[in-house]
Amino acid sequence: MSSRGRKRSRAPAEDWRADCPFELHIASFPVVRKVKDGRFSKTENGSTTKDKRTTAGDRMEPLFQESPFELTGNFRSHATMDIHYHVEPRTQWSRMTRYNSFVINPGKYTRGEFVFVANDKSIARGTLGEDLNAQVGLCNIWVAKILEIKAVDEHQVYARVCWMYSPNELPGGRRPYHGTNEVIASNHLDVINVLSIVGHAKVSHWIEADDDEVIDGLYWRQAFDCRTTQLSPVDLVCRCRNPANPDEMLIGCTSSDCGQWMHIGCLRQDVLKCVYDQLGTDQPYVLTATTTTTESSFGLQRQSAQAALAGERPSDGGSAHPNTEASELAKNLEDNSMQPTELTALATSQNARHAKYVPKKKVRRQRKSDAKPYLGLFQATLLMNEGPMVWEIKDLRPGFADSMQTWSESVLCLLCGTNVK
C-alpha cells in the first residue's frame, strides 16, 4: 500500500513545489526474507515456502518505525501505531548520509520537531505569508513531524516525515467535538524535499485528564491509523457521554463525590426544558416572598403550580392573567369537583380549539433528545460572578410584558443533582 498516494500527492517542481524522487510504501512484515542458503523465503503470512529463484536482489526487508506519539487509548485492530515501510528506490535511499538537522529559509530544523509543509492550495491561494496555524483547518497548509533527515549533498536534502491530519481530511470529515486548532496524529509516512518546508510548527499533546493544562496553538489528542482508517478513542464527558470540544466551555461539578465535567450546552438545555415544562406558553412566572435569587428548578415547579392554582399575575400589582381556560382548570382542581379523567377531557377539548389538524400520515415523530420547544420562548445566560453560578432566565414569550421578565435558577449537576458553586 502506498502511503503517499492516499492523501499527499506531489506536483512538478515549481516555486514552493519541491521535487522528490523517493516514494514510501507501507508494508507487512515480513514480506520476503532470504533464509540461509537462499532456497527458502517467507511470505506475508509468515509461512515458509521453497523457492530456488530467491536471490539477494529479491530481498525486501521492511524498515521499522516506532510511533512517535503516545496514545491514551488503543485502536480496535492494532495495539500500537508502529509500522513497517519501504522507501523506493531502496539502494539510493540507504546510501545517503543521515543528519540531525538542516538549515533553510533561513532557519534550522531538527529531527523530531513539527513543521509546516506547502501544498498546492497554499501555493495557489498565496497563503504562505499569512497565519499558518489558521490555514491548517482549511487544509491550505500541511503539518508534519520530522522523523529522519538524509542528504546526498547540500542541494539534495530529504526528510522522512509523519503527517498530521486536519479533521476535515478524515474519512467522514470533521466531528462536532473537534476544535478549531485541533490536528490528528497518524502513522502516514512520506519522504519530502526539505524545500517544501515553510516554517516551524508548534503542536502540543492535549491530555484530557489533566484539568490544569492550558492549550496554546495547535494540539492533538486523537490518532489516525492509515492501515485501517480507524480513529483512536477520546474521553467521554457529561450526561450525554460525548467528547468535549475545547472551543466550548465545560462546567465541572463542585461536589467531591462527583467532580464530573458537563457541556454548557447540555446544562442550558436542561434548565430551559425545565422552565418550559413548568411554564409552557401561557403560564407566568410568579415571584413570591419565598423565592430567592438562587431558586432551583424545583422551586420554579412549586411556584408555577401556585400560579396555576391562583390564576394570577406576579404580586407586583399586575392585572389578572387573561387566560380564562387556565383559571377554569385551576378552579376545578382547587374545588376537587371533577375527576382526573374529566379534567383531562376538559383540557383536551379546550386545547383542541386552538390546535391545527395535521394528517397522521404526515406527522414525523421527533426524537426526544432533539425536541427543543423552548426555542424563542426562553433564554438562559450563565452568570459566574462572586458566589454560586446561576442561570439568568429571560422570558421572551409575547404577551407577558407585564410579568416578571428575568429571574435566576441554580446550576444543577446533570449527574448528581447538586448545586454547582
Side-chain angles (χ1 to χ4, degrees), residues 241-254:
R241 304 310 297 160
N242 284 317
N245 186 322
D247 296 340
E248 300 176 0
M249 183 183 295
L250 289 179
I251 302 298
C253 180
T254 52

Side-chain angles (χ1 to χ4, degrees), residues 163-221:
W163 293 113
M164 308 294 289
Y165 278 51
S166 165
N168 294 335
E169 298 171 298
L170 295 173
R174 177 182 291 270
R175 277 54 165 178
Y177 59 83
H178 285 140
T180 302
N181 293 328
E182 186 164 357
V183 292
I184 312 297
S186 80
N187 54 1
H188 181 174
L189 308 182
D190 208 348
V191 178
I192 64 173
N193 192 316
V194 298
L195 294 176
S196 299
I197 297 175
V198 295
H200 296 271
K202 179 183 178 182
V203 182
S204 305
H205 181 197
W206 177 29
I207 301 176
E208 298 181 86
D210 187 356
D211 297 338
D212 298 327
E213 184 177 10
V214 178
I215 304 173
D216 182 23
L218 299 176
Y219 59 90
W220 71 273
R221 57 172 162 170

